[in-house]
Amino acid sequence: MRVAVVWAVSSLTLLALAGILPDFQLQSEDGESITRTAVTAAWAAGAFGLLGALVWPLLVRALLLVPALVLGLLGFAVNGSLLLVALWLIPDRGGEADPQNAVVVAAVMSAVASATSTALAVRDDAAYRRRLYRLAGRRSGAPLDGGADAPPGTVFVQLDGVGCQVLKDAAEDGTMPTVAAWLGTTHRLTPWRTDWSSQTGASQLAILHGSNHDVPAFRWYEKDTGRTIVSNRPGSAAELQRRAIERTGDGGLLTLDGASRGNLFSGGADQLALVLSVSARRGRRNRSRAGYFAYFRDPANAVRTALSYAAETCREIGQSTRSRVRGDHPRVGRGGLYPLIRAFATVVERDVVVAAVIGDMLSGRSAVYADLVAYDEVAHHSGPRSRDAAAVLRRLDRSLALIAEVAGHAPRPYRIVLLSDHGQSPGETFASAYGLTLRDLVRAGCDLPVPRHVAPRAGGAEARDTLRSAVHLPPPEDEGGGPRPERDSDPIVLASGNLGLVSFPDVPYRMSKEEIDRRHPGLLPTLATHPGIGFLLVRSERHGSVVLGPDGAETPVDDLGDGGPLAGFGPGAADAVRRTDSFPHVADIMVNSAYDEATGAVHAFEEQIGSHGGLGGEQSHAFLLWPVTLTPPLPDPLPADHPGLVGAEQVHQVLRRWLTEGPGPQIPVGPLPSARERAAQDSPSHTPADGAFAVSNRVTPNKKS
């Protein structure tokens, strides 16, 4: 009955389009009866429907190696071609259309058929489940009628960059009604404090793999290898994941029947979609890219997402234009490719990740971890409290509502845990506030020439390089993709939000304060006394590592407290600095921008008016929103002197414990592969017997860049 209704509606749509579009017709030039024209429309609609159901998935799979965005846009051409074939299959060739009209007609037909089928299935649970299966491109691995007695699964949804206070405010003011309904009823909210490096690379690596040791920032220079590590580069992400696995001896949080969706790292999952650490490997067996196929195999999805992508691009252009007209301050440039990057993060990545999570739940997976980066990308350029960012939160809340609704149709009960990896702090950029970049300031302190005009540096948002990977673009030459700096080159200055790193590549070890003063006597005083800089971390030959404050104070790291040069940066700042100081690849000079306690503002060393990466303000305050059926992440009641939940590694331990509670999955810890086994896994010719990136002994194979 449903097929018949959809067929009839599609036929009527074809008749209407034939009357509207001058170069699309369903009858010969001599004219035919209405009955004959209707039969032609029915033939065309039926043929188009069959081709869409049978041929479209095969075409999309064949085009899987085409860049993801091109695949979405190519869908229009492919869909139009299928319509032309359908018209050609009509007896007596009764239909005719030029290629341009064929694309339009095919897009409308796909949208109408999808909407009709969905509307008819609203009150039919079985049909609704089947529709969702098709949406995510998955087949159930467990009976649909598993019921409430089945072991519970767990879905972790990471709202990238959403601070704890931002979430509270969005729930209270009605921006996120789904979250508001959970708070105080089915879920509880627990804040947690990030490490000094308050960014996704450090936080998510520890959350999924249990360790972020030796991750001092979003990007840093390693003297022993001569490489610049950038967390959101595929090669760097693979290397960071390998190091974490080697350090912990554990494949990750998702090693047992897990799925990783839209993340920088795999977490040891054997089901991957849009995972950056494996995206550098190309081929039909690349499961990370298969997430695009799973979504775009439905032509209606391709059309809907492409139209939404275009609408979001236009929305960003309009919003940035209004921002310039209003004279908003602070403000950063939002031209160039940024509208396309924003649309990718807020539309394409969101749709593909949510569809993958839906498929995982309907397939009965035990553990799913998904990252939605939309808010983080928009907040970087519009501000964490802007209307633009609030609109993104509203749309993310609808995605959460859909995931919660699908949980009721899954073959097992699901516990939905909402969390973030960091927050964001607002503020004018360092370059805008003081007329020069951190690199310029360092060069001036070293008596090196300072360029008069420097192009603004793009921010390090996660979506930017996910998009680069999706369209097969190499990384920029100055960030992990180009030649290694020469040993006698100038200081390397890198930015990670409001955290800066200065390294001298010609010195093979971490330089001391005394050595820096002998070589560049004006550098450290220039940096430490600048009003836009809060404090410096540097090694001293006499006192060990020291923190230099703006008043000239020199405090040994071992004597640090939350007062002194770190006053105002919040409790735990001293411990965070001490931990980073112990990393092998800490920079010669670590620079944290100034922080205004009254306004909560920091100065990003990148082109971002909402930033994270260092200490200061809301960027360090993330959250866990967890079901009351789980044990509290902290003792209840909490002792007065308890520091709370500190560091992403502690969050990992909480999530591991939750996965083992009740009849849920157990996370095995097995021995690491031997050096010979790792070498074999790293070999370009190595292919796991049961498919690409399969987990051997539940430990993720090494993925060296």
Side-chain angles (χ1 to χ4, degrees):
M1 181 66 70
R2 188 175 297 108
V3 170
V5 173
V6 173
W7 192 351
V9 172
S10 299
S11 301
L12 293 174
T13 301
L14 269 181
L15 289 171
L17 291 172
I20 296 172
L21 299 175
D23 294 325
F24 173 56
Q25 59 184 22
L26 295 174
Q27 56 185 1
S28 64
E29 296 181 358
D30 298 334
E32 294 176 353
S33 66
I34 295 178
T35 302
R36 179 63 179 170
T37 303
V39 171
T40 300
W43 267 107
F48 181 68
L50 285 174
L51 289 172
L54 301 177
V55 178
W56 174 274
L58 299 178
L59 290 175
V60 173
R61 183 173 291 279
L63 296 172
L64 187 57
L65 296 182
V66 173
L69 288 181
V70 178
L71 175 60
L73 298 176
L74 193 61
F76 283 101
V78 174
N79 221 17
S81 300
L82 292 181
L83 179 68
L84 292 176
V85 173
L87 295 176
W88 181 79
L89 293 174
I90 297 174
D92 300 328
R93 305 285 177 87
E96 182 179 346
D98 62 11
Q100 294 87 345
N101 280 333
V103 171
V104 174
V105 173
V108 174
M109 287 280 292
S110 297
V112 169
S114 176
T116 303
S117 179
T118 302
L120 292 172
V122 165
R123 301 181 64 85
D124 186 335
D125 287 347
Y128 184 61
R129 285 195 291 268
R130 288 195 297 271
R131 170 64 185 166
L132 293 176
Y133 278 131
R134 289 195 299 272
L135 177 67
R138 299 282 189 270
R139 285 190 172 88
S140 175
L144 285 177
D145 57 353
D149 294 334
T154 307
V155 175
F156 302 103
V157 180
Q158 177 181 306
L159 298 185
D160 206 299
V162 179
C164 188
Q165 191 59 47
V166 168
L167 186 82
K168 289 180 181 178
D169 294 343
E172 291 175 0
D173 63 20
T175 300
M176 303 186 76
T178 302
V179 172
W182 291 354
L183 275 170
T185 55
T186 60
H187 287 65
R188 296 289 184 269
L189 182 66
T190 299
W192 67 275
R193 192 167 68 244
T194 68
D195 305 290
W196 186 1
S197 182
S198 53
Q199 46 88 18
T200 304
S203 293
Q204 195 180 89
L205 182 65
I207 290 172
L208 289 178
H209 288 282
S211 173
N212 59 7
H213 177 76
D214 203 19
V215 181
F218 182 80
R219 49 174 69 84
W220 68 93
Y221 176 70
E222 297 189 342
K223 294 187 176 185
D224 53 346
T225 63
R227 295 177 55 194
T228 298
I229 299 293
V230 186
S231 299
N232 62 353
R233 298 285 187 268
S236 296
E239 174 64 13
L240 293 178
Q241 179 172 303
R242 184 196 66 79
R243 293 178 185 179
I245 294 173
E246 189 174 69
R247 182 175 179 83
T248 63
D250 176 26
L253 186 72
L254 308 173
T255 52
L256 181 61
D257 192 29
S260 180
R261 311 300 188 186
N263 300 310
L264 295 181
F265 311 103
S266 74
D270 57 0
Q271 293 294 324
L272 308 170
L274 281 66
V275 175
L276 204 66
S277 63
V278 301
S279 64
R281 294 189 177 186
R282 307 298 179 193
R284 296 182 62 185
R285 291 181 176 270
N286 188 328
R287 294 183 181 180
S288 181
R289 290 189 52 77
Y292 290 113
F293 164 73
Y295 183 77
F296 288 117
R297 66 181 296 177
D298 186 338
N301 290 342
V303 171
R304 179 172 55 251
T305 296
L307 293 175
S308 298
Y309 182 89
E312 183 70 10
T313 302
C314 295
R315 181 182 295 114
E316 161 55 26
I317 294 173
Q319 289 174 348
S320 62
T321 302
R322 288 194 295 271
S323 176
R324 288 195 303 270
V325 171
R326 291 193 303 262
D328 291 347
H329 184 80
R331 188 175 72 248
V332 294
R334 293 160 61 176
L337 293 177
Y338 173 67
L340 302 179
I341 295 170
R342 167 176 163 166
F344 177 82
T346 58
V347 174
V348 179
E349 190 164 27
R350 179 202 63 200
D351 288 353
V352 173
V353 168
V354 170
V357 171
I358 288 173
D360 293 328
M361 296 170 68
L362 294 173
S363 298
R365 303 228 170 268
S366 299
V368 182
Y369 194 103
D371 186 11
L372 299 175
V373 303
Y375 170 85
D376 189 67
E377 181 62 44
V378 173
H380 276 310
H381 296 80
S382 300
R385 299 280 183 168
S386 64
R387 286 179 291 182
D388 300 356
V392 173
L393 286 176
R394 194 173 292 110
R395 292 194 290 271
L396 288 177
D397 188 80
R398 290 199 291 268
S399 296
L400 296 176
L402 176 61
I403 291 173
E405 181 181 4
V406 171
H409 298 273
R412 67 194 308 170
Y414 272 96
R415 307 171 293 198
I416 300 176
V417 177
L418 200 62
L419 74 159
S420 64
D421 50 347
H422 54 78
Q424 284 205 21
S425 297
E428 188 176 9
T429 68
F430 186 86
S432 174
Y434 300 105
L436 78 171
T437 65
L438 177 63
R439 181 175 181 271
D440 295 338
L441 186 63
V442 170
R443 292 183 66 84
C446 294
D447 290 327
L448 295 171
V450 177
R452 292 185 177 182
H453 301 287
V454 179
R457 185 181 187 83
E462 287 74 25
R464 183 176 300 274
D465 288 281
T466 304
L467 175 59
R468 297 186 68 89
S469 175
V471 297
H472 297 186
L473 291 177
E477 289 190 358
D478 63 338
E479 292 188 1
R484 299 177 179 179
E486 297 295 333
R487 288 296 180 185
D488 58 350
S489 63
D490 294 341
I492 296 175
V493 183
L494 300 173
S496 295
N498 74 317
L499 178 64
L501 295 86
V502 183
S503 299
F504 296 91
D506 58 321
V507 179
Y509 52 85
R510 184 181 177 187
M511 286 188 72
S512 68
K513 176 181 180 296
E514 291 77 10
E515 289 175 305
I516 296 173
D517 284 339
R518 286 193 294 269
R519 177 187 285 196
H520 303 294
L523 177 56
L524 292 178
T526 297
L527 293 175
T529 59
H530 192 281
I533 291 178
F535 66 90
L536 311 177
L537 171 66
V538 64
R539 184 177 70 86
S540 171
E541 295 173 359
R542 291 180 295 173
H543 306 294
S545 296
V546 295
V547 167
L548 306 181
D551 56 356
E554 183 176 316
T555 307
V557 165
D558 292 340
D559 299 336
L560 275 178
D562 290 330
L566 300 184
F569 284 95
D575 290 335
V577 170
R578 269 190 290 269
R579 180 174 184 267
T580 301
D581 179 62
S582 69
F583 293 167
H585 289 113
V586 65
D588 293 329
I589 308 173
M590 301 286 289
V591 184
N592 202 100
S593 85
Y595 167 60
D596 189 333
E597 288 187 80
T599 63
V602 300
H603 295 301
F605 299 122
E606 304 177 85
E607 282 293 292
Q608 299 174 348
I609 59 174
S611 66
H612 56 87
L615 289 172
E618 294 186 19
Q619 63 182 315
S620 300
H621 302 287
F623 71 87
L624 271 175
L625 186 65
W626 46 279
V628 295
T629 54
L630 298 170
T631 58
L634 294 171
D636 189 15
L638 198 64
D641 59 346
H642 198 288
L645 198 57
V646 179
E649 292 183 359
Q650 287 193 18
V651 175
H652 172 83
Q653 295 302 323
V654 172
L655 302 192
R656 285 177 69 95
R657 189 182 78 226
W658 284 345
L659 286 179
T660 62
E661 288 182 357
Q666 303 294 315
I667 304 300
V669 178
L672 284 171
S674 66
R676 178 176 298 179
E677 290 171 335
R678 290 198 300 270
Q681 290 168 346
D682 289 335
S683 171
S685 61
H686 172 71
T687 302
D690 56 347
F693 311 117
V695 177
S696 174
N697 295 325
R698 294 302 177 188
V699 176
T700 304
N702 296 343
K703 302 175 180 68
K704 293 182 179 178
S705 57

